[in-house]
Amino acid sequence: MLDRASKTFFHLVAQSRTLGKLASRFGMRKPSSFARRFIAGETVPEAIEAARGVQARGMKITLDLLGESVTNLDEADAATRQYVEVIDAIARAGIERNISVKLTQLGLDVDKASAIDNLRKILERAGPAGFFVRIDMESSAYTEVTLEIFETLWRHGYHEFGVVLQAALYRTERDLQLVNGLGARVRLVKGAYQEPKAVAHQKKADVDAAYARLMKTLMTDGRYPAIATHDPVMIGLARQWAREHDLGADRFEFQMLYGVRRDLQAMLVAAGYTVRVYIPFGRQWFPYFMRRLGERPANVMFVIRSILSDRG
Ligand SMILES: Cc1cc2nc3c(=O)[nH]c(=O)nc-3n(C[C@H](O)[C@H](O)[C@H](O)COP(=O)(O)OP(=O)(O)OC[C@H]3O[C@@H](n4cnc5c(N)ncnc54)[C@H](O)[C@@H]3O)c2cc1C
């Protein structure tokens, strides 16, 4: 119940433009500013530096240029151009070639055809340069259209390309069959968005049970799945399932978010597993940051402490 209330509260705050502007002014100001715990910085060089740090600790990376819910095609075009520049910068920097993108950042709310066109531009630049591109999954309003776009482009031959499925949604069991049937790579997450009872489990225990079920199917039937969670119980179950079914550590990877459970990330690397860290960066970090606070209200104390120690 508290889980749900806190998620709702932080989702509401995330939509506030005034708070967003205020936070943007202060949250990234100094190396010690509060948002830097979860966001690598506002610029491409900062993201590349963070990626180098993560790689130096024996982990893999995916970079996410933050931005979502753009409201006109000019913004969507600008985001697409920025992504193409990010691809070129990553290639020049010699870090791992892996990015995550959101379809509403490419204009999905404004015009579906334009969003597809923009995604294609990114895939066209990324593919020949040896990148893997993952479409992040947004709220349930976008699940159907995201999977439809993914499947269409997959059938057009874009195969260094993966999608995300959310255990919280009832429909995910079916969607997993579809994506496994294509032979595409899935990142399995619990789901970061506040969803209605009609489409999603509401209790944490039910989401966890669904995650465990889907994870087992994915690990057995899927292609190089990503088990994206910080939950030690789910991670323990994945390791046990792999042992019991003779799935070597090269058959799947764990994924975690930048700044979350760094201890667990390091422990898994030391145990011989592949860990990929999702590194978000960019000026539009406020909604992403609020989702992280909503997942763990204890993070609010961390923010308050860092604001107090960061004054002036
Ligand atoms: C690589 C990656 C990519 C993701 N991509 C998407 C996506 O495309 N779409 C989507 O809807 N969601 C995405 N998510 C978010 C995901 O849906 C969850 O909201 C998030 O991972 C928290 O759930 P959990 O599985 O870690 O488990 P939880 O049960 O929420 O948490 C388990 C434990 O992890 C730690 N923890 C979890 N979150 C935090 C936090 N914010 N701060 C500090 N500690 C924390 C705590 O110790 C907590 O007890 C992604 C997550 C990861 C790791």
Side-chain angles (χ1 to χ4, degrees), residues 83-99:
Y83 250 110
V84 168
E85 285 164 20
V86 168
I87 289 169
D88 293 346
I90 292 174
R92 277 195 306 274
I95 57 169
E96 203 196 344
R97 300 179 180 203
N98 192 308
I99 54 171

Side-chain angles (χ1 to χ4, degrees), residues 167-239:
L169 301 187
Y170 307 137
R171 58 173 290 158
T172 295
E173 212 127 345
R174 249 183 311 127
D175 293 337
L176 183 58
Q177 278 176 21
L178 170 101
V179 184
N180 278 348
L182 294 175
R185 281 164 60 175
V186 171
R187 173 200 294 155
L188 182 65
V189 300
K190 289 190 185 175
Y193 297 83
Q194 182 59 52
E195 300 290 359
K197 197 157 66 185
V199 301
H201 298 290
Q202 304 294 302
K203 292 191 198 133
K204 177 171 162 47
D206 293 338
V207 176
D208 287 354
Y211 193 97
R213 263 194 322 273
L214 292 159
M215 182 179 76
K216 290 172 184 172
T217 307
L218 182 60
M219 288 180 75
T220 302
D221 300 339
R223 175 176 152 229
Y224 193 70
I227 309 303
T229 179
H230 317 91
D231 185 340
V233 176
M234 297 303 136
I235 290 168
L237 278 177
R239 295 176 68 174

Side-chain angles (χ1 to χ4, degrees), residues 137 166 187 190-192 204 229-230 292 295-296 299:
M137 189 58 84
Q166 298 157 326
R187 173 200 294 155
K190 289 190 185 175
K204 177 171 162 47
T229 179
H230 317 91
R292 302 294 77 84
E295 273 154 13
R296 193 161 179 265
N299 286 336

Side-chain angles (χ1 to χ4, degrees), residues 24-308:
S24 300
R25 208 177 314 149
F26 298 110
M28 286 284 197
R29 213 160 40 146
K30 301 184 197 165
S32 61
S33 295
F34 61 86
R36 288 191 184 264
R37 155 91 185 263
F38 299 112
I39 290 123
E42 292 194 335
T43 66
V44 179
E46 284 173 310
I48 288 174
E49 193 188 322
R52 288 206 171 104
V54 169
Q55 289 189 183
R57 295 200 300 279
M59 291 179 270
K60 294 182 175 286
I61 55 127
T62 182
L63 283 189
D64 169 41
L65 171 61
L66 289 165
E68 54 197 91
S69 309
V70 307
T71 51
N72 63 65
L73 290 182
D74 288 344
E75 278 175 30
D77 289 348
T80 307
R81 277 196 304 278
Q82 279 174 23
Y83 250 110
V84 168
E85 285 164 20
V86 168
I87 289 169
D88 293 346
I90 292 174
R92 277 195 306 274
I95 57 169
E96 203 196 344
R97 300 179 180 203
N98 192 308
I99 54 171
S100 296
V101 300
K102 286 187 177 54
L103 286 177
T104 65
Q105 187 177 10
L106 305 184
L108 186 59
D109 281 330
V110 191
D111 176 44
K112 182 172 147 191
S114 304
I116 297 174
D117 236 33
N118 287 337
L119 179 58
R120 252 184 207 274
K121 284 182 192 149
I122 291 172
L123 291 168
E124 286 296 326
R125 188 65 148 235
F131 275 71
F132 182 82
V133 178
R134 175 89 60 183
I135 311 189
D136 285 343
M137 189 58 84
E138 300 178 69
S139 76
S140 62
Y142 303 101
T143 313
E144 185 70 28
V145 66
T146 300
L147 290 174
E148 182 200 318
I149 292 173
F150 177 75
E151 185 178 356
T152 304
L153 291 174
W154 178 271
R155 292 193 190 284
H156 273 83
Y158 297 99
H159 287 177
E160 284 308 302
F161 185 35
V163 75
V164 179
L165 295 178
Q166 298 157 326
L169 301 187
Y170 307 137
R171 58 173 290 158
T172 295
E173 212 127 345
R174 249 183 311 127
D175 293 337
L176 183 58
Q177 278 176 21
L178 170 101
V179 184
N180 278 348
L182 294 175
R185 281 164 60 175
V186 171
R187 173 200 294 155
L188 182 65
V189 300
K190 289 190 185 175
Y193 297 83
Q194 182 59 52
E195 300 290 359
K197 197 157 66 185
V199 301
H201 298 290
Q202 304 294 302
K203 292 191 198 133
K204 177 171 162 47
D206 293 338
V207 176
D208 287 354
Y211 193 97
R213 263 194 322 273
L214 292 159
M215 182 179 76
K216 290 172 184 172
T217 307
L218 182 60
M219 288 180 75
T220 302
D221 300 339
R223 175 176 152 229
Y224 193 70
I227 309 303
T229 179
H230 317 91
D231 185 340
V233 176
M234 297 303 136
I235 290 168
L237 278 177
R239 295 176 68 174
Q240 186 186 342
W241 187 260
R243 266 195 311 275
E244 288 172 0
H245 294 80
D246 253 346
L247 300 169
D250 57 340
R251 297 278 300 276
F252 62 96
E253 67 183 30
F254 290 110
Q255 293 192 356
M256 295 193 206
L257 301 175
Y258 184 76
V260 178
R261 291 303 308 261
R262 285 171 287 204
D263 55 335
L264 195 51
Q265 297 173 10
M267 186 276 277
L268 288 169
V269 171
Y273 292 98
T274 301
V275 177
R276 185 179 304 281
V277 176
Y278 181 103
I279 305 180
F281 74 99
R283 293 176 59 83
Q284 317 228 332
W285 51 265
F286 188 63
Y288 174 92
F289 180 71
M290 293 314 284
R291 283 197 291 278
R292 302 294 77 84
L293 293 192
E295 273 154 13
R296 193 161 179 265
N299 286 336
V300 176
M301 281 317 292
F302 152 80
V303 171
I304 291 170
R305 272 201 306 275
S306 48
I307 292 174
L308 290 176

